[in-house]
Amino acid sequence: MRQWGSGETEDGARTRWLPLQKPGPSRNRVQAMRKAKPGSYAEAGVSIAAGNALVRAIAPLARATARPGAAAELGGFGGVFDLRAAGFEDPLLVAATDGVGTKLKLAQALGAHDGIGQDLVAMCVNDLVVTGAEPLFFLDYFACGQLDAAVAERVVASIARACSAAGVALIGGETAEMPGMYAPGIYDLAGFAVGAVERGRQLDSARVEVGDVLLGLASSGAHSNGFSLIRRLAEGHRPEAPAPFDPAQTLGAALLVPTRLYVRPLLPLARAGAVKALAHITGGGLLENVPRVLPEGARAHIDAGSWALPPLFDWLRSEGALPPHELARTFNCGIGMVAVVAAERASDVAAQLRAAGETVHAIGRIGAGPRGCEVCGPAGAWGAAAAWSAVHDG
């Protein structure tokens, strides 16, 4: 049936086409709609008062990280660092940024916010020290849908503790409350660190040569990489239950052990020229990170039988039936940092690192060949039935 005005009048006269019009909202309805709109920033979901309260709460935490060059006072538009006061004469600045990845999802699900800040700091400052740079200052970015000041304070307190442990000043940050961008209870983190090294004293691949020894510094756990796979492999296991590989702690606690900070034990050795290069073992594992500090014509040969695969990684291997190659390019497999040292200095450097509290293994050497890395293991190593080799070129 045609609607009135669809082409003809009742007596057959032609009319023009008219679009169908829906009845407009009543006056009362319009007034109600207007009343439903937020009348303030707080009603839109952003609490300036809560943000200001958080700044007041974390200011003493940041102030406690003060060091030569920075007072670590919050509240200004930008953080200031005095390189001369820090003792530098002709410095090169080195910058790094990183996040924590999906390890955050596990931390948030368990309400475990007191260690995740160390993950954030460590992922940045460990990247700085491999260049020979002294990490100087740090800034954080905390983003959420609705600010829970108590949670945010715990996270920032963890960041501040890690900054103090690494000798870094926390000179600023950003708290972004963005309703609609994140679900309730969810937050994301990003970190930014800047360091400095005197010109000509930075670490790079130039000094690495055939015959150098690879020293592996033990990791504290999975650190902050591979968690998209780890969370899948842990499905079906209760995080509050004892860890299958370590009944003395819960599975959740074992997975959330913070990333190890390597700055203090490595920086003196880098400054003294005792190490030629350093590789932070993050995403890409041993296979892909070690070649990043090698020159053309140098190939890393790593013996997977030179240290015991930690129980955490052996459990992950078993849960996912992961082959050695997948382990070597996904996880740190118990080695969080690799130092390249001259063969004649390897014993002395290892002794100094152990004296500084590190667990150290001689895990391989530098040979001639296309730039890359080979991780080899005998039968039984990393669950393999036969001898194996995992290779990455480039």
Side-chain angles (χ1 to χ4, degrees):
M1 178 178 178
R2 298 184 196 168
Q3 296 291 330
W4 199 248
S6 61
E8 291 182 346
T9 61
E10 191 174 37
D11 62 1
R14 299 293 300 175
T15 65
R16 60 189 175 88
W17 281 91
L18 297 174
L20 296 178
Q21 301 289 334
K22 293 184 178 180
S26 67
R27 182 178 180 182
N28 290 340
R29 187 177 178 187
V30 169
Q31 291 176 341
M33 291 169 64
R34 286 175 178 167
K35 289 180 180 179
K37 292 183 179 180
S40 69
Y41 209 11
E43 289 181 9
V46 178
S47 174
I48 295 175
N52 291 338
L54 175 62
V55 171
R56 289 193 295 270
I58 64 177
L61 304 175
R63 196 174 301 120
T65 69
R67 52 150 295 156
E73 293 286 349
L74 301 184
F77 288 100
V80 176
F81 194 93
D82 185 342
L83 285 166
R84 184 172 297 174
F88 289 91
E89 297 178 358
D90 184 21
L92 298 175
L93 292 180
V94 185
T97 183
D98 213 329
V100 182
T102 60
K103 188 176 187 178
L104 278 174
K105 290 183 69 68
L106 180 59
Q108 291 164 17
L110 297 179
H113 311 289
D114 299 307
I116 208 73
Q118 179 168 323
D119 287 298
L120 185 68
V121 174
M123 293 301 289
C124 294
V125 298
N126 287 345
D127 277 355
L128 293 182
V129 78
V130 301
T131 68
E134 175 187 355
L136 300 175
F137 59 87
F138 189 86
L139 301 98
D140 70 274
Y141 176 77
F142 182 102
C144 61
Q146 182 175 17
L147 180 62
D148 184 328
V151 168
E153 184 176 352
R154 289 170 63 187
V155 172
V156 176
S158 176
I159 292 172
R161 287 193 297 271
C163 284
S164 293
V168 181
L170 178 59
I171 66 171
E174 166 71 0
T175 302
E177 188 173 22
M178 298 181 285
M181 287 288 289
Y182 297 91
I186 302 300
Y187 62 84
D188 197 9
L189 296 174
F192 313 88
V194 173
V197 58
E198 293 291 356
R199 190 181 306 273
R201 299 182 67 179
Q202 64 270 26
L203 297 181
D204 54 30
S205 64
R207 295 171 55 210
V208 176
E209 57 189 344
V210 173
D212 287 342
V213 170
L214 302 175
L215 297 179
L217 282 66
S219 66
S220 55
H223 286 183
S224 301
N225 296 104
F227 271 84
S228 293
L229 176 57
I230 290 172
R231 291 185 301 108
R232 291 290 301 274
L233 296 178
E235 288 178 355
H237 297 271
R238 293 185 299 113
E240 69 276 12
F245 49 88
D246 184 3
Q249 60 180 331
T250 66
L251 176 59
L255 295 177
L256 288 175
V257 173
T259 304
R260 191 168 182 83
L261 292 159
Y262 295 103
V263 173
R264 291 196 185 272
L266 287 175
L267 192 57
L269 294 171
R271 284 175 167 167
V275 296
K276 295 186 175 184
L278 294 166
H280 185 200
I281 309 306
T282 56
L286 289 161
L287 271 183
E288 297 189 11
N289 283 290
V290 175
R292 295 169 67 181
V293 299
L294 302 182
E296 291 294 339
R299 194 168 185 82
H301 297 270
I302 295 176
D303 178 7
S306 60
W307 78 97
L309 186 69
L312 164 62
F313 298 104
D314 193 48
W315 178 73
L316 293 170
R317 175 200 62 77
S318 177
E319 285 292 308
L322 302 177
H325 183 274
E326 191 66 22
L327 289 170
R329 72 172 185 173
T330 304
F331 305 120
N332 64 58
C333 296
I335 302 296
M337 184 75 73
V338 173
V340 184
V341 300
E344 64 272 16
R345 303 191 70 172
S347 295
D348 180 59
V349 170
Q352 291 185 58
L353 288 169
R354 292 184 182 112
E358 299 300 317
T359 299
V360 185
H361 307 278
I363 63 171
R365 61 179 179 82
I366 300 298
R371 185 174 65 182
C373 180
E374 297 181 15
V375 181
C376 302
W382 297 13
W388 55 271
S389 176
V391 178
H392 176 76
D393 293 317

